[in-house]
Amino acid sequence: MSISPLMPVYPRCDVRPVRGDNCHLIDEKGERYLDFASGIAVNLLGHSHQGLIGAIQKQAAELMHVSNLYGSPQGEKIAQRLVSLTFADTVFFTNSGAEAVECAIKTARAYHQHAGDEQKFELITFNNAFHGRTMATISASNQDKMHKGFMPLLAGFRYVDFDDFAGAEAAMGPNTAGFLVEPIQGEGGIRSASETFLQGLRKLADDNDLMLVFDEVQCGVARTGSLYAYEQYGVEPDIMATAKGIGGGFPLGACLATEKAARGMGLGTHGSTYGGNPLAMAAAGAVLDAVANDEFLASVRAKGDKLRSRLEQFIGNYPELFDSIRGRGLMMGIKLKTEPRPFVAHLRDNHGLLTVAAGDTTMRLLPPLVIEDEHIDEFMEKLSAGAASYDPGESA
Ligand SMILES: *Cc1c(COP(=O)(O)O)cnc(C)c1O
């Protein structure tokens, strides 16, 4: 037998972390890495946050899991907090981002079908989007590399260029149920939608009784300097998926909706065995305690501004390597003039710096939101040393 016990679906690198220390990871050999990847925008409080660790330890000893057959004081509390903090009136908890998007897709379809409109099932989605790896969420993305071998796709998605309002409007038809969009594309290369685009989709949805669904799995939970990115666009969705940072490292996602949007989601229409169990709710409570306040959000914006201005000053030193800086808050991308993966590997293997490659030749910077000046200094030193020592031929 030659297949590995761990199904070989990930191109894993040689770094094998076994311990976290605030904004650093330590591997089996004792090597330290500055973590500007955060498990892909998950560990927003770093790896040593006492509030998060304490909340999980305490809840684990009290009650980890009960079925959603029973009342949930823990879930009610976190749902109420999310409702108070956002556009939403109601919340469904999941264990992952893809499941949160699945629930969002079902909610958008059910909105129309509950009212007897069976033909409105199609969501208009956008090129280079990433919504997860389930059948529905790969079907929602135009990316062939995620489709290959898994045909047929689920019907009911139509792809249009990201940020192309005229294209979205032209794609509407009798089957259109709504729009599903990341306000800032993550895997697609830290590409921010324009305000006019999201505001335009909002108006199309209002004028045609369609659902505007935001996927804030990556850009949400304080990452961009507001609790959710939509706040900075002056546009509220009808339905929104959140995950990644919301558990701070504990697997948790949620689908948020207005009362109107959730009209099709009545008793028995949806469910999850683990979704929103007491342990997950304890993690979410600790995350919200830390991030859902003006002081913390202002600190994310200030750190983002500081990092961005250091980067803007720096990239001109290597015009053949760096193109431009993208993103908001601490969801940042450096667009490169070369393939991002070899440079990301060089920084990791030779300079102890973890970042993440994305589409569109972009290197993603997704540090813990609790970084301090010393981490920004360390990052700039490592990036600077890495750019100076980089030979684009080395890993080709
Ligand atoms: C990561 C991601 C997902 C999928 O989340 P999983 O927890 O991996 O299922 C969905 N949408 C966006 C925007 C993401 O970044």
Side-chain angles (χ1 to χ4, degrees), residues 40-42 95-101 129-134 137 182 184-187 215-219 241 243-244 252 331 364:
I40 316 192
V42 169
N95 315 291
S96 68
E99 287 171 284
V101 178
F130 183 81
H131 298 298
R133 295 291 203 147
T134 62
T137 57
E182 295 160 87
I184 303 175
Q185 287 192 334
E187 313 288 323
D215 179 348
E216 290 221 22
V217 170
Q218 192 158 156
C219 63
K244 289 202 164 90
L252 176 65
M331 181 176 189
R364 275 179 285 178

Side-chain angles (χ1 to χ4, degrees), residues 15-302:
V15 177
R16 299 163 62 85
V18 290
R19 200 159 65 77
D21 177 16
N22 192 18
C23 298
H24 290 81
L25 283 174
I26 295 126
D27 77 0
E28 280 178 334
K29 297 179 224 147
E31 297 286 340
R32 279 178 81 84
Y33 295 85
L34 178 65
D35 187 5
F36 265 44
S38 306
I40 316 192
V42 169
N43 306 102
L44 77 191
L45 301 178
H47 301 283
S48 311
H49 191 272
Q50 287 313 306
L52 178 60
I53 294 168
I56 290 174
Q57 284 176 334
K58 180 167 176 288
Q59 189 62 50
E62 256 166 39
L63 181 64
M64 275 190 246
H65 174 82
V66 289
S67 165
N68 284 312
L69 292 170
Y70 306 106
S72 176
Q74 305 88 355
E76 285 167 5
K77 206 160 101 192
I78 301 303
Q80 179 58 58
R81 287 180 76 177
L82 287 171
V83 163
S84 303
L85 290 162
T86 68
F87 73 97
D89 302 313
T90 191
V91 180
F92 180 86
F93 289 111
T94 68
N95 315 291
S96 68
E99 287 171 284
V101 178
E102 284 271 351
C103 180
I105 294 167
K106 288 179 74 173
T107 303
R109 286 186 173 189
Y111 171 77
H112 296 289
Q113 295 182 23
H114 178 78
D117 201 344
E118 304 286 329
Q119 59 165 353
K120 281 198 166 45
F121 56 81
E122 192 171 79
L123 287 172
I124 295 170
T125 66
F126 297 90
N127 289 335
N128 300 312
F130 183 81
H131 298 298
R133 295 291 203 147
T134 62
M135 281 310 305
T137 57
I138 63 172
S139 302
S141 170
N142 75 318
Q143 298 193 53
D144 288 340
K145 62 175 196 250
M146 296 197 293
H147 298 163
K148 203 164 169 279
F150 302 119
M151 305 305 273
L153 299 180
L154 191 73
F157 298 95
R158 206 166 160 166
Y159 319 129
V160 170
D161 275 347
F162 183 65
D163 219 31
D164 176 5
F165 174 74
E169 189 173 26
M172 283 170 42
N175 300 128
T176 306
F179 307 94
L180 167 60
V181 63
E182 295 160 87
I184 303 175
Q185 287 192 334
E187 313 288 323
I190 313 290
R191 297 169 66 214
S192 301
S194 61
E195 280 180 22
T196 50
F197 175 64
L198 293 187
Q199 287 167 1
L201 293 184
R202 179 69 270 170
K203 184 159 186 338
L204 282 182
D206 288 340
D207 292 350
N208 297 283
D209 191 24
L210 304 177
M211 291 285 103
L212 180 59
V213 185
F214 284 170
D215 179 348
E216 290 221 22
V217 170
Q218 192 158 156
C219 63
V221 202
R223 176 62 45 193
T224 66
S226 51
L227 189 60
Y228 285 95
Y230 74 79
E231 299 166 43
Q232 295 176 49
Y233 282 91
V235 177
E236 292 190 343
D238 302 295
I239 304 168
M240 181 179 78
T242 181
K244 289 202 164 90
I246 189 124
F250 193 89
L252 176 65
C255 173
L256 284 66
T258 63
E259 179 168 14
K260 180 183 170 196
R263 70 184 179 189
M265 302 303 280
L267 282 180
T269 55
H270 195 48
S272 166
T273 296
Y274 294 127
N277 79 13
L279 196 51
M281 295 297 94
V287 167
L288 291 177
D289 286 347
V291 310
N293 62 80
D294 290 341
E295 197 185 336
F296 187 86
L297 294 168
S299 81
V300 173
R301 293 193 293 273

